[in-house]
Amino acid sequence: MEKGSNSDSLGKSETSNGRGGKLASMLPTIEPFVPKRDQNHNPRELRSWAKRTGFVSHLSGETGTASSTERFDSSTGFNVERSGRDHRAGGSSPKIEIDPVLGRTRPNMGTEIQMNSGSGSGSGSKHGRKTVADENGNNGLGEKIEERKAEVNGDGNVNAVENGNGVASVTPVGEEKNKGRKGERDVEIGMYPRGEEQGHEGWNGNHPGLKVGLRDNPGFGALIYYGLQHFLSLAGSLIFIPSVMVPAMGGTDKDTATMISTMLLLSGISTILHSYFGTRLPLVQGSSFIYLAPALVIINARDHRNLSEHKFRHIMRELQGAIIVGSLFQSILGFSGLMCLILRLINPVVVAPTVAAVGLAFFSYGFPQAGSCIEVSVPLILLVLICTLYLQGVSIFGHRFFRIYAVPLSVMLTWIYAFFLTAGGAYDYKDCSPDIPSSNILLDECKKHAYTMKHCRTDVSNAWRGAAWVRIPYPLQWGVPIFHFRTSLIMIFVSLVASVDSVGTYHSASLLVSSKPPTPGVVSRGIALEGFCSLLAGFWGSGTGSTTLMENTHTINITKMASRRAVVFGALFLILFSLVGKVGAILASIPLSLAAAILCFMWALVVAIGLSTLQYTQTASFRNITIVGVSLFLGLSIPAYFQQYQPMSSLMLPSYFVPYAAASDGPVHTGSEQLDFAVNALMSMSMVVTLLVAFVLDNTVPGSLQERGVYIWSRPEDVATDPSLLLDYSLPGKFASLCRCSRCL
C-alpha cells in the first residue's frame, strides 16, 4: 500500500487475514507495526506507520486514513481501537494515545483522533485543522477534518460525543485519575447498584425521582398526609409485636392494649428525637423484630413456667431491666466513638445475612399460629400479596394506593370478613361460651373448639369494654425493673445486632434520598440516640428496645417521599393516638391468627430487605456467596442443635415456643447457672450466630474493596465545606456544641 493512499485500501475485496464477503470488502488492509531494531520503538518509524495506516501520532499531529473496526494487537503490545465507519461517510474517530504496556489510555492524553476523508474539498483551518493531501500531493481534494468533542464522565472515562455525521460514540477503557491519591481513595471505593463506583463528588441535591426531598416542605396538608402514610405502611411492625408477646407472658387483653399504646408513644418520641438529634434521615423508630426473639427466649425460661400470679408483670419487669442494660451499652458504643472503629468492620456481606436471619428466626411461629384459623389467615396472606405484587402498578389519583397501604388495607378487609363469620355463627358451638371461660376446657365437646374460638372470633376481646378513653402511659407503669446478669448479657449482644442492622439502614436510606452518605460520626450519633430511646423503652415498659425500622426504606422507595418534616408530623399523630386508650383497645382486639398471618408477610419482607443489601457488593463473587450461604446455614443449624436439648419443654410448651426455650436446657454447662443460660440463649438465636459467623469470615477472608462492597461514608472535613452535607446531618441550633466532646461525633 502506497504512503498516504486511500484508493488502494478501498478497492480491496479482502482483508489481510483472509476473511471474505461483504464485510471484508469494506475493510482496508492494515499492515502491522514491526520495529526494525529489536523491539526498540523508533518514533520516526511509529509516525510513519501511523501515517500509512490512517492513525495519527500524538507527537506529530499528522493525519491519515482510517475506516475499519479492528483492534490491532501487535508484538509490541499496542492495543488500538478504531472507528467502525467508512471514511467516505465523513466519520471521524477520537484521538487516543494508547499505553503500549497496559493497553489503556494515558492520563494526560488528548481527546481527539483526527482523520481524513476520502473525497471532497476543503481548505486549512485557522484553528489548526489540516487538509490531507492526496497521493498526487494536491491539497484541494482533502476534506476539512472535523474536530470531535469529548466529555469526561464522573468515573473518569472519556466519552466521545457524536459529531453529527452518524459516527458512533467511542468510550475507551477508563483512565486512572489523580494517581497520586490512589492509595488514599482505595479505602473509599464502594460498589453500588448497576455496578457504579460512587465517589464523594458525584452527589448533588435530591434525586429527580423523589416527589418530596429530605429538606422539602410540601405544605401543612401534604405533611399530614405523607406523615400518616409513612406510619400506616409500617402498621405491622408497630402494633403486632404485643399480640405475640402478651399472650405468651400470660397477660390480658387490657395488658395488650396498654402495651400497644406504650409502643405508639415511644415510637413517636423516638422518631422525633432521631429526626432532630440522630442521623436526621427520614427514618421511623420503633419496636423492632430484632428484640422479639430474645424476649421470647426470656419469656419461656424455666423459671417463668410455674408462675401464676402476676406472671405478666414479673416477666415484663425482667425484660425492662435487660433492655436498660443493653441500651446503656449501645449508648456508650455511640457516644464514646467506638462505633466509628466498628464501622470499618461492618459491610453489606455482614449486614445482609444478619438481617435476613432476623426474619427467618420466626418461621416456627408464623404459620403454625396463623394455621389455627386457616379460613381467615390464608385469605389475608393472599390479599396482601395481591395488593403488593399484582396491584402494585395501579394508581389512584397519582398514588400507588394498593402497594403503599397493602398491610392496613388487607388487615381491615380481612378483619371485616372475620367479623361476618363470627356474626354469622361460624364459630358458635353448642353449650360453649364465646367468652372462653374455664368451663369450656372442662367439657369434652367444647375443649376441641376452645382454641379455634379464641383465635378466630372477633368478639372474644374485652379490651374495648375495659379501656379508658384517655390514658397516658407513664414510666415504671409495670413496676421497678429487675436486673439479672443472664438477661443483661443477652440484651447486650442483641443491641449489637440492632446496631449492625441500623448501619445498613442508614446507608440504604441515604442513597434513597440522594443525600451524601453520613459521616462515621453521624452514624455513631444515630446509634447512641437509638440506645437512649431503648433506655426510654426500658423505663416505660414496651417489652422491646427501639431501633430503626428497616421496612421504612422500602416505604421511601415506593412513595418517593423523603421529607423528615413529614415523618415528624406522623410521629406527632402517633403520640396523639397513644393517649387515646380506645385506640390501643381496638388494635388489641385483632384476632391472634390474623396478626400471625400478617406477620408471616412482614417477616418475609425483613428477609428480603436484608438480602437486598447484597446489591452493593459483587453478588456473583464466590467469596461473598460462600460467606452469606455459610452464615445463614449455620445461623439456622447451630440453634437447631441447641434447641434439641429440651425434652421437657416440648411437653410443657406449645410447639411454636419450643425453639425459644433452649436457654434453660441447652448443652453448655460451665458451672454458673447464669452464664449457662446466657450462652445457651445466645447460641439458640439465629441472628446472633449469623452475625458472629459473617463478621469473622468477612473480615478474615481476602477480598477486594469492590468485591466486598465496603460502605462509603463521608469524611468529617466535608461537613464544613459542603453546604448540602451540613444541612442534611448537622445538629440544629446550639445543640451541636454539646456533642463536640466526642471527637467522633
Side-chain angles (χ1 to χ4, degrees):
M1 185 171 67
E2 197 170 321
K3 181 177 179 181
S5 174
N6 295 331
S7 59
D8 291 346
S9 62
L10 293 172
K12 292 184 179 292
S13 62
E14 294 184 354
T15 59
S16 59
N17 59 5
R19 290 179 292 181
K22 294 182 179 180
L23 179 63
S25 64
M26 298 172 61
L27 301 177
T29 301
I30 300 178
E31 60 182 79
F33 173 75
V34 181
K36 297 180 179 180
R37 298 182 180 179
D38 300 327
Q39 306 297 327
N40 293 326
H41 310 309
N42 190 333
R44 293 183 178 179
E45 295 178 6
L46 184 58
R47 285 196 296 268
S48 177
W49 170 83
K51 185 175 181 179
R52 290 197 310 272
T53 57
F55 287 96
V56 182
S57 170
H58 179 65
L59 299 176
S60 66
E62 295 175 330
T63 60
T65 63
S67 62
S68 70
T69 305
E70 188 152 326
R71 185 183 296 268
F72 169 63
D73 190 5
S74 70
S75 59
T76 63
F78 279 60
N79 191 5
V80 181
E81 202 170 284
R82 302 180 62 185
S83 171
R85 292 279 183 181
D86 195 336
H87 65 279
R88 288 172 296 184
S92 63
S93 176
K95 179 178 178 181
I96 304 173
E97 183 181 4
I98 306 298
D99 190 295
V101 178
L102 300 178
R104 55 174 74 165
T105 55
R106 288 180 177 172
N108 53 354
M109 44 162 271
T111 59
E112 301 174 12
I113 284 184
Q114 295 178 348
M115 176 180 178
N116 75 321
S117 177
S119 62
S121 62
S123 60
S125 171
K126 58 184 177 181
H127 294 289
R129 295 178 180 175
K130 297 183 179 180
T131 57
V132 182
D134 63 0
E135 56 184 341
N136 297 322
N138 299 322
N139 291 336
L141 298 178
E143 257 192 6
K144 188 178 293 184
I145 304 302
E146 293 289 334
E147 290 187 350
R148 195 177 183 92
K149 297 180 181 180
E151 62 180 2
V152 179
N153 62 14
D155 296 327
N157 296 327
V158 177
N159 294 332
V161 180
E162 199 165 310
N163 62 3
N165 296 324
V167 180
S169 62
V170 178
T171 304
V173 291
E175 66 183 26
E176 295 180 4
K177 197 176 180 182
N178 298 331
K179 288 186 175 180
R181 299 183 59 198
K182 181 178 180 182
E184 176 186 349
R185 294 295 297 165
D186 274 348
V187 298
E188 298 178 355
I189 294 175
M191 299 304 296
Y192 283 79
R194 304 179 185 175
E196 300 170 354
E197 269 190 0
Q198 177 206 5
H200 292 284
E201 61 273 9
W203 298 87
N204 51 1
N206 293 325
H207 193 277
L210 288 177
K211 296 180 181 178
V212 180
L214 179 63
R215 303 186 301 274
D216 291 346
N217 185 1
F220 184 76
L223 286 176
I224 295 176
Y225 172 74
Y226 296 146
L228 291 176
Q229 179 177 262
H230 268 281
F231 287 91
L232 283 175
S233 61
L234 298 172
S237 301
L238 294 173
I239 65 176
F240 287 118
I241 290 180
S243 300
V244 176
M245 292 180 58
V246 175
M249 299 165 68
T252 63
D253 296 328
K254 183 179 179 181
D255 295 329
T256 304
T258 303
M259 191 169 172
I260 290 176
S261 297
T262 304
M263 283 189 171
L264 295 179
L265 174 66
L266 291 172
S267 180
I269 294 175
S270 301
T271 301
I272 293 175
L273 290 176
H274 190 84
S275 298
Y276 283 104
F277 309 115
T279 62
R280 308 205 70 195
L281 290 169
L283 296 172
V284 174
Q285 306 291 306
S287 297
S288 172
F289 293 123
I290 294 175
Y291 288 91
L292 180 57
L296 292 176
V297 169
I298 296 173
I299 291 170
N300 291 283
R302 186 194 305 161
D303 299 344
H304 300 150
R305 296 174 192 170
N306 298 325
L307 293 176
S308 56
E309 288 189 35
H310 309 297
K311 178 180 179 179
F312 172 79
R313 287 182 175 268
H314 179 83
I315 297 176
M316 178 61 76
R317 290 163 58 198
E318 191 163 338
L319 284 174
Q320 286 181 258
I323 292 171
I324 289 173
V325 174
S327 62
L328 289 175
F329 170 80
Q330 191 176 17
S331 294
I332 294 173
L333 195 68
F335 283 124
S336 67
L338 291 175
M339 197 63 203
C340 293
L341 302 177
I342 298 178
L343 278 180
R344 302 176 183 178
L345 307 177
I346 299 177
N347 299 307
V349 180
V350 177
V351 174
T354 302
V355 176
V358 172
L360 292 174
F362 303 105
F363 75 93
S364 63
Y365 179 90
F367 200 78
Q369 273 283 57
S372 62
C373 190
I374 200 168
E375 64 272 17
V376 174
S377 59
V378 171
L380 175 55
I381 295 175
L382 293 177
L383 185 59
V384 71
L385 289 176
I386 290 173
C387 291
T388 305
L389 300 177
Y390 296 97
L391 300 180
Q392 61 174 326
V394 177
S395 179
I396 300 178
F397 300 110
H399 301 282
R400 297 197 174 181
F401 184 82
F402 293 102
R403 190 174 180 185
I404 297 172
Y405 304 110
V407 170
L409 179 64
S410 301
V411 171
M412 182 179 64
L413 293 178
T414 310
W415 197 2
I416 295 174
Y417 162 68
F419 172 78
F420 281 112
L421 287 180
T422 303
Y427 306 113
D428 291 339
Y429 303 100
K430 186 178 179 180
D431 299 328
C432 300
S433 172
D435 295 330
I436 319 295
S438 58
S439 58
N440 288 340
I441 306 299
L442 300 177
L443 297 175
D444 292 337
E445 294 183 1
C446 295
K447 185 184 298 185
K448 59 182 178 181
H449 301 304
Y451 191 76
T452 300
M453 289 192 296
K454 180 180 179 181
H455 288 77
C456 300
R457 295 186 68 96
T458 58
D459 59 353
V460 296
S461 175
N462 58 5
W464 173 265
R465 294 186 291 270
W469 278 101
V470 177
R471 185 188 183 279
I472 302 177
Y474 55 91
L476 305 180
Q477 57 187 336
W478 311 113
V480 180
I482 299 175
F483 298 91
H484 287 304
F485 170 76
R486 60 181 189 179
T487 55
S488 299
L489 185 60
I490 292 173
M491 284 301 175
I492 286 175
F493 276 88
V494 172
S495 66
L496 187 60
V497 175
S499 300
V500 171
D501 169 54
S502 295
V503 167
T505 306
Y506 295 162
H507 186 268
S508 299
S510 67
L511 296 182
L512 286 175
V513 302
S514 293
S515 171
K516 289 188 176 180
T519 64
V522 173
V523 175
S524 295
R525 192 176 72 207
I527 297 300
L529 191 64
E530 284 190 15
F532 175 75
C533 294
S534 293
L535 185 66
L536 297 180
F539 279 105
W540 257 263
S542 64
T544 64
S546 177
T547 187
T548 301
L549 298 182
M550 65 195 78
E551 301 93 320
N552 196 42
T553 58
H554 177 67
T555 303
I556 296 174
N557 189 32
I558 295 174
T559 62
K560 307 303 180 185
M561 305 298 173
S563 172
R564 59 174 165 234
R565 287 188 178 92
V567 174
V568 170
F569 264 71
L572 291 175
F573 276 95
L574 215 62
I575 295 174
L576 179 63
F577 293 149
S578 70
L579 304 181
V580 182
K582 294 295 185 181
V583 173
I586 293 175
L587 298 175
S589 62
I590 297 177
L592 185 59
S593 60
L594 194 142
I598 200 63
L599 285 175
C600 287
F601 172 79
M602 297 302 302
W603 288 328
L605 187 63
V606 171
V607 176
I609 292 176
L611 293 178
S612 68
T613 311
L614 292 174
Q615 66 183 309
Y616 306 118
T617 70
Q618 293 182 1
T619 52
S621 166
F622 179 75
R623 172 194 182 273
N624 296 344
I625 292 174
T626 304
I627 292 176
V628 173
V630 170
S631 301
L632 279 176
F633 181 82
L634 293 181
L636 296 175
S637 188
I638 291 178
Y641 166 76
F642 278 78
Q643 292 163 9
Q644 68 182 350
Y645 287 89
Q646 42 183 335
M648 296 301 297
S649 299
S650 59
L651 301 176
M652 301 175 63
L653 295 173
S655 60
Y656 46 81
F657 281 144
V658 171
Y660 305 104
S664 301
D665 303 296
V668 176
H669 300 285
T670 62
S672 172
E673 184 177 348
Q674 297 281 325
L675 185 60
D676 292 345
F677 183 93
V679 174
N680 287 319
L682 290 172
M683 298 306 294
S684 66
M685 289 188 288
S686 299
M687 57 183 178
V688 175
V689 178
T690 303
L691 172 62
L692 294 176
V693 176
F695 184 84
V696 172
L697 291 179
D698 185 54
N699 289 284
T700 56
V701 177
S704 65
L705 300 179
Q706 294 91 339
E707 184 179 17
R708 298 171 63 193
V710 174
Y711 284 139
I712 297 177
W713 305 107
S714 298
R715 293 181 290 266
E717 56 268 21
D718 294 339
V719 177
T721 59
D722 193 332
S724 64
L725 192 64
L726 185 66
L727 292 173
D728 287 343
Y729 299 113
S730 292
L731 294 173
K734 299 180 180 180
F735 190 82
S737 60
L738 300 178
C739 294
R740 291 176 183 172
C741 56
S742 175
R743 181 177 59 86
C744 184
L745 298 179

